[in-house]
C-alpha cells in the first residue's frame, strides 16, 4: 500500500476518474477531498503495487456501485462516443483496434484524437495506444489502436 501522498504526487494531484485537480490539503472526509482508489484491477483480484490511483472521495465512492465512467469532453464534436473505460479494457486484454467515435469533420476527429490521447496518458498510462482518423461515408471515424 502506498500512502495518499505518494499516490497523489505520482498522479500530480489530479483525479484519475474525472480528470480534475484534487486539493491535497482538503479534508479526506470532504467529497472533493483526496482518496486512494484501487486502480483498474479487475474486481476481486489483488491490487498490484503501484496500481493505486488518486481520486476525489466522491468519485471513488461512486465507482464502488457502478463501473467508472470517464466522460468525453463536452467541447468535442463527437457522435456515438464509445465508453472510454470499456474500450480501454478491451484494448488492454485483447489488443487490436476500436472505433471510439464518429465526427462530422476531419478537424473535429483530429481534435478528439489529441484530447483522447492526452486523457488516456493519465487514465491508463500503462496502455500503449495510437489514434487514427479514417474517412468513411460522409464522416470521420476516430480509431484507437493498441500498439
Ligand atoms: Zn474526481
Amino acid at each position: 500500500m502506498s500512502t495518499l501522498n505518494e499516490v497523489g504526487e505520482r498522479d500530480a494531484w489530479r483525479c484519475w476518474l474525472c480528470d480534475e485537480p484534487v486539493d491535497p490539503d482538503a479534508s479526506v472526509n470532504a467529497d472533493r477531498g483526496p482518496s486512494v482508489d484501487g486502480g483498474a484491477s479487475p474486481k476481486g483480484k489483488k491490487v498490484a503495487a503501484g496500481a493505486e490511483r488518486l481520486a476525489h472521495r466522491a468519485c471513488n465512492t461512486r465507482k464502488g456501485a457502478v463501473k467508472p465512467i470517464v466522460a468525453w469532453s463536452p467541447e468535442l464534436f463527437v457522435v456515438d462516443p464509445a465508453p472510454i473505460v470499456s474500450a480501454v479494457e478491451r484494448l488492454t486484454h485483447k489488443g487490436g483496434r476500436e472505433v471510439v467515435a464518429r465526427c462530422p469533420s476531419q478537424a473535429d476527429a483530429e481534435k478528439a484524437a489529441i484530447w483522447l490521447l492526452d486523457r488516456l496518458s493519465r487514465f491508463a498510462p500503462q496502455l500503449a495506444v495510437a489514434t487514427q482518423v479514417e474517412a468513411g461515408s460522409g464522416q470521420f471515424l476516430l480509431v484507437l489502436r493498441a500498439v
Side-chain angles (χ1 to χ4, degrees):
M1 286 290 281
S2 312
T3 68
L4 178 61
N5 265 329
E6 284 167 1
V7 175
E9 295 285 319
R10 203 179 54 219
D11 280 353
W13 295 102
R14 195 194 283 254
C15 173
W16 82 297
L17 292 167
C18 74
D19 209 31
E20 283 174 20
V22 178
D23 181 358
D25 300 321
S27 160
V28 293
N29 295 316
D31 277 358
R32 301 289 286 172
S35 77
V36 172
D37 183 33
S41 302
K43 258 206 164 69
K45 294 223 174 121
K46 203 163 168 272
V47 174
E52 296 139 325
R53 306 296 306 267
L54 182 76
H56 293 113
R57 198 183 71 88
C59 293
N60 199 1
T61 306
R62 260 202 305 276
K63 198 193 138 213
V66 291
K67 255 173 112 76
I69 292 169
V70 172
W72 288 74
S73 165
E75 285 164 25
L76 299 171
F77 288 101
V78 288
V79 181
D80 288 344
I84 292 174
V85 175
S86 309
V88 164
E89 278 175 0
R90 283 192 297 272
L91 287 170
T92 301
H93 293 123
K94 294 190 205 135
R97 45 172 271 154
E98 299 245 341
V99 175
V100 289
R102 300 193 308 245
C103 300
S105 78
Q106 177 147 18
D108 291 328
E110 278 163 10
K111 197 175 156 199
I114 290 166
W115 176 88
L116 186 59
L117 278 187
D118 176 62
R119 185 69 186 85
L120 292 181
S121 72
R122 292 181 300 278
F123 177 70
Q126 77 288 352
L127 178 67
V129 281
T131 53
Q132 207 168 310
V133 173
E134 294 175 3
S137 58
Q139 52 191 354
F140 294 85
L141 304 179
L142 173 54
V143 177
L144 198 56
R145 189 165 48 83
V147 292

